[in-house]
Amino acid sequence: MASPSEGTAKTVTIRDVAAAAEVSIGTASKALNGRGRMRTETRDRVLAAAERLGFRPNPLAQGLLAGRTYTVGLVTGDSFGRFSIPVMLGAEDALGAGKISVFMCDTRDDPIRERHYVERLLARRVEGIIVTGRRTEPRPGIGRDLPVPVVYAMTQSTDESDVSIIPDDEGGGALAARHLLATGRTRIGHVTGPHRFEAARRRARGLSTALDAAGLEPAGEVLFGQWSEEWGRQGADVLLHAAPDVDAIFCGSDQIARGVAETLRERGRRVPEDVALVGFDNWEPMALGCRPPLTTVDMNLGEIGRLAARHLLDAIAGTPTGGGVTIVPASLVLRESTRRAAPQG
């Protein structure tokens, strides 16, 4: 028969260990944490008592004794979480090895709210802060001479001494162009987001550079608009009117690409047989929901988060990390929208 105490065993405390080893609580603490001077037999007696009783030290208490909280803050202006959540998941992968937890704060792009959250995080004694957002444009830092290290991910600080980690938008645009060229397409159009976004300009520049290296130009003008399916539908109409012989379209986002795919289908253009289609972001709900599934450029946001966390861990450990901007290469995720064109003739 099970005893009444089974399943509700009392938590063993350091007081219990001290009593069993016949030492003071202070001596037991020093022995368990490897601090202070004492006789070897005393330390061994405390450790033996702790093992016999099944004592498990409290990590938070140990951290506080060592001046650590094993927490970091993640401050984001990306309310929707489209970019900040993959970054956070990547950061947690790297921080988890050090048993560090993450506090996530959504500033909603409000500078006052951001300052408030930074103050709250510092009051909680976080050991570092990662700042992330929806745009890669340089932004003012969250403060100089803060008592903890700060790393910027998927955004960058105007202070060159800060560590900033961003995706390779230009390289991603070139990657998309080279892939389309490799599938036999030569009349490549581009429908993308607002010109005021640095990411949109860089992606367009990457496409143009790769086409120029192949002795080609974009089909029609580069069409800047909005990050939306509706703009994708409209932009495709404009492009088909300006360049009716277009055989591929590179889109600045997966949302835009999905809208472009709808217009192509309505106009009787088959994807990929007549027009190949590439998106940007690898946002799976959009890319997999597209008809057909969308080849797209992945910014590797998880790797950006992991790299940011590793920089932060190094800084917390006192290892100099330097400053400046680190650019993380993009990758291409191949799906049905860019199958190789059939030979002509």
Side-chain angles (χ1 to χ4, degrees):
M1 179 181 294
S3 68
S5 63
E6 283 186 6
T8 58
K10 175 179 176 291
T11 300
V12 178
T13 68
I14 195 170
R15 184 184 298 275
D16 299 322
V17 174
E22 299 181 340
V23 298
S24 69
I25 293 175
T27 298
S29 175
K30 291 177 182 178
L32 291 169
N33 289 291
R35 297 183 294 109
R37 298 179 60 184
M38 66 184 67
R39 289 185 299 175
T40 301
E41 63 186 57
T42 301
R43 190 183 305 278
D44 290 345
R45 192 164 73 249
V46 171
L47 295 176
E51 183 175 358
R52 185 171 69 253
L53 295 174
F55 174 71
R56 295 291 179 270
N58 183 321
L60 178 58
Q62 284 187 313
L64 291 173
L65 285 170
R68 298 196 60 182
T69 61
Y70 294 95
T71 58
V72 301
L74 188 145
V75 177
T76 179
D78 175 23
S79 301
F80 188 62
R82 166 66 193 91
F83 302 108
S84 59
I85 289 178
V87 169
M88 183 184 73
L89 292 176
E92 284 187 326
D93 285 345
L95 294 169
K99 299 180 180 175
I100 293 179
S101 300
V102 179
F103 290 128
M104 183 173 177
C105 303
D106 177 15
T107 70
R108 304 178 195 174
D109 275 336
D110 181 349
I112 295 176
R113 186 182 291 268
E114 181 178 86
R115 286 197 298 272
H116 167 74
Y117 278 131
V118 169
E119 291 169 1
R120 291 288 300 274
L121 289 169
L122 293 176
R124 284 179 172 269
R125 296 177 59 192
V126 296
E127 298 185 43
I129 297 174
I130 296 173
V131 180
T132 187
R134 293 174 296 178
R135 301 179 62 167
T136 56
E137 279 81 358
R139 49 147 293 165
I142 61 172
R144 298 183 67 86
D145 302 320
L146 293 179
V148 298
V150 179
V151 176
Y152 297 80
M154 190 56 198
T155 188
Q156 56 183 308
S157 171
T158 53
D159 188 339
E160 294 182 357
S161 65
D162 288 330
V163 174
S164 301
I165 303 168
I166 60 174
D168 188 0
D169 287 304
E170 186 168 347
L175 190 64
R178 289 195 295 268
H179 170 64
L180 289 170
L181 291 169
T183 63
R185 275 73 178 196
T186 57
R187 294 286 294 157
I188 303 171
H190 187 35
V191 183
T192 190
H195 188 272
R196 67 180 184 276
F197 277 71
E198 188 170 24
R201 299 193 302 273
R202 286 179 173 175
R203 292 168 195 178
R205 186 161 60 243
L207 171 73
S208 296
T209 300
L211 291 180
D212 184 64
L216 299 171
E217 295 181 349
E221 294 183 5
V222 171
L223 299 174
F224 292 96
Q226 301 300 318
W227 303 114
S228 69
E229 288 183 60
E230 178 60 29
W231 164 240
R233 288 189 286 269
Q234 296 172 2
D237 260 336
V238 174
L239 180 59
L240 290 173
H241 179 75
D245 58 345
V246 64
D247 61 8
I249 303 175
F250 167 46
C251 301
S253 77
D254 293 341
Q255 280 182 287
I256 293 172
R258 190 160 170 174
V260 168
E262 289 182 15
T263 292
L264 290 173
R265 190 162 53 249
E266 291 170 1
R267 300 296 179 268
R269 301 292 187 95
R270 299 168 301 165
V271 177
E273 292 84 356
D274 301 323
V275 181
L277 192 60
V278 176
F280 204 107
D281 290 340
N282 194 29
W283 186 12
E284 288 197 347
M286 283 288 165
L288 296 179
C290 191
R291 294 171 50 197
L294 185 66
T295 292
T296 181
V297 177
D298 192 319
M299 292 183 285
N300 293 320
L301 296 177
E303 180 59 24
I304 289 173
R306 282 187 286 273
L307 191 56
R310 287 196 286 268
H311 275 282
L312 199 65
L313 288 171
D314 286 344
I316 290 170
T319 303
T321 60
V325 178
T326 297
I327 298 175
V328 174
S331 58
L332 194 68
V333 180
L334 299 177
R335 297 191 180 97
E336 294 176 29
S337 68
T338 58
R339 287 200 310 269
R340 183 178 294 273
Q344 300 295 314

